[in-house]
Amino acid sequence: MDLIVSVSGIRGIIGAGLSPAPALAFAQALGTYLKGGRVVLSRDSRPSGLMLRHAVIAGLSSCGCEIHDLGIAPTPTCGLAVRKLEAAGAIQITASHNPAPWNGMKLFGSDGAVLSAAKGKDLKQLFDTNSFALVAHDKLGKLRECQQAEDWHRERVLQLIDAPRIRAAKFRVLLDANGGAGGPLAHALLESLQASPILQGGVPDGDFAHPPEPLAENLTT
């Protein structure tokens, strides 16, 4: 299958369209479009995301970007981190709802939202024409790890809801994260709400087809 390239990013099946080369080029296109600057990077739990991460870091660094890597994190967390860090933009390595063989890249602007169609069109032109603003060896971008992003997201959710009322209800909640990136954050949020979460598929390993864990004992206690 061919690589799907649009104003919102790229997407394809690993080994059959999507490889490190286009990921590198699309990251260089974003770095050029943003004229360097601070860029947030995160990825979903698909194992192929680690491979693409290396390509994206190389592309952004080659354009002088300061990269703040969240590691595995949900897409909304990436957008929130852009605003929190006052970044120029972001890349989320994800294929959204597609099956495990797929992966891709979603691009954000400085407002923490996915790039508009107009901005995405300009960036796509840079990608299509290989028009990248590469920097010299002494101007290469730096990589920084950011481990606070999911805490920021959890705290923001708690600000927007009636947390005391939810805690008073003493809910028991079954959370099936299905190996996705949102499992740890959702579990932490439920614990903050004293909701007694029962977790299934909470390890963000990208194994979307794993068999269900036995829950009968937890559900009857």
Side-chain angles (χ1 to χ4, degrees):
M1 296 182 65
D2 293 332
L3 181 69
I4 300 171
V5 181
S6 70
V7 296
S8 61
I10 60 175
R11 189 167 295 179
I13 293 177
I14 297 296
L18 181 55
S19 68
L24 170 71
F26 226 90
Q28 289 176 313
L30 180 65
T32 299
Y33 182 78
L34 298 177
K35 298 180 173 61
R38 184 175 299 160
V39 179
V40 173
L41 170 63
S42 57
R43 67 188 193 276
D44 70 18
S45 60
R46 300 163 198 269
S48 61
L50 183 60
M51 173 188 72
L52 297 177
R53 170 185 176 271
H54 291 298
V56 170
I57 289 173
L60 293 174
S61 178
S62 71
C63 294
C65 295
E66 177 186 300
I67 307 153
H68 288 252
D69 184 14
L70 310 185
I72 295 176
T75 299
T77 302
C78 179
L80 187 148
V82 170
R83 298 191 295 273
K84 190 78 174 179
L85 292 168
E86 298 181 346
I91 293 178
Q92 171 79 1
I93 301 172
T94 181
S96 300
H97 61 281
N98 286 287
W102 288 75
N103 217 326
M105 294 164 55
K106 187 172 293 186
L107 312 178
F108 293 77
S110 59
D111 58 354
V114 175
L115 284 183
S116 67
K119 293 178 179 179
K121 184 178 180 180
D122 291 340
L123 192 146
K124 183 176 179 296
Q125 185 175 9
L126 294 173
F127 172 79
D128 290 337
T129 58
N130 291 316
S131 302
F132 308 137
L134 306 182
V135 300
H137 75 97
D138 56 344
K139 302 294 183 182
L140 294 174
K142 305 296 184 182
L143 176 65
R144 306 179 187 277
E145 292 186 4
C146 176
Q147 300 179 351
Q148 301 85 22
E150 290 194 357
D151 290 335
W152 296 337
H153 195 165
R154 178 177 55 83
E155 291 166 3
R156 181 57 179 152
V157 172
L158 292 173
Q159 293 170 1
L160 296 173
I161 62 177
D162 189 344
R165 184 179 180 185
I166 295 173
R167 290 180 181 125
K170 300 185 183 302
F171 290 113
R172 296 187 71 200
V173 179
L174 172 61
L175 170 62
D176 184 0
N178 196 34
L185 172 59
H187 189 252
L189 177 60
L190 289 171
E191 287 192 326
S192 296
L193 295 169
Q194 299 174 9
S196 299
I198 301 167
L199 183 61
Q200 177 171 292
V203 178
D205 55 10
D207 185 6
F208 305 143
H210 63 75
E213 300 166 8
L215 295 172
E217 182 178 348
N218 288 331
L219 291 174
T220 56
T221 56

